[in-house]
Amino acid sequence: MPALSSAGRERQTRQRDALMQALRDSARALSPAELCALGQRSVPTLNLSTVYRQLAALLEAGEVLKVDLPGQSARYEAVCVRSRHAGEHGHDARDHHHHHFHCTACRRVFPIHACPGTMDDLAPPGFRVARHDLTLHGLCIDCAPGADSHDCHDAVHADEPRPAADPAAHARGSQRC
């Protein structure tokens, strides 16, 4: 494999930095297309194939998580590394356990930094729960009837970047990374 020139490394770093900044600024899980559009604000030459390549490297490095929802395209979010989450639910800070809210109107996915706790009581007798994933489905603050902000169907498509709403901030006991 040929060595990367210093200009090539710089470009890769700028691209990676642009994607990580987009993930941190959005405070939600983003599709590769959303990441590309947001990353192009810093690196105009960024393209979708580069986004996928960078995401693979960021996943391998443990800097991003893949968010899979049944019947949906994969989305990605920055790993939560705030030390105040260390020890929650028996995980270290890099393995912060949280759930997601999926808006059925605009299709955005938001983190919920709260957990109802163990799911052992829901498992059949004798079964042991190793982990759980919880996804709430409904309307986000932008799409809910009577929301103060714009209607999510007005000239905004699901894969276009949008301002981040944080429904988790309204959940009792939730914390944001």
Side-chain angles (χ1 to χ4, degrees), residues 58-74:
L58 289 165
L59 279 166
E60 187 176 323
E63 294 183 48
V64 299
L65 295 174
K66 186 176 182 182
V67 177
D68 287 313
L69 300 179
Q72 300 286 317
S73 298

Side-chain angles (χ1 to χ4, degrees), residues 28 30-31 33-34 37-38 106 108 155-163:
R28 66 181 180 90
L30 298 172
S31 71
E34 289 173 312
L38 290 170
C106 67
R108 292 181 294 167
V156 176
H157 302 284
D159 288 336
E160 290 181 3
R162 301 188 43 167

Side-chain angles (χ1 to χ4, degrees), residues 25 31 55 81 149 154 164 172:
D25 289 349
S31 71
L55 283 171
V81 294
S149 61
D154 290 344
R172 184 177 310 177

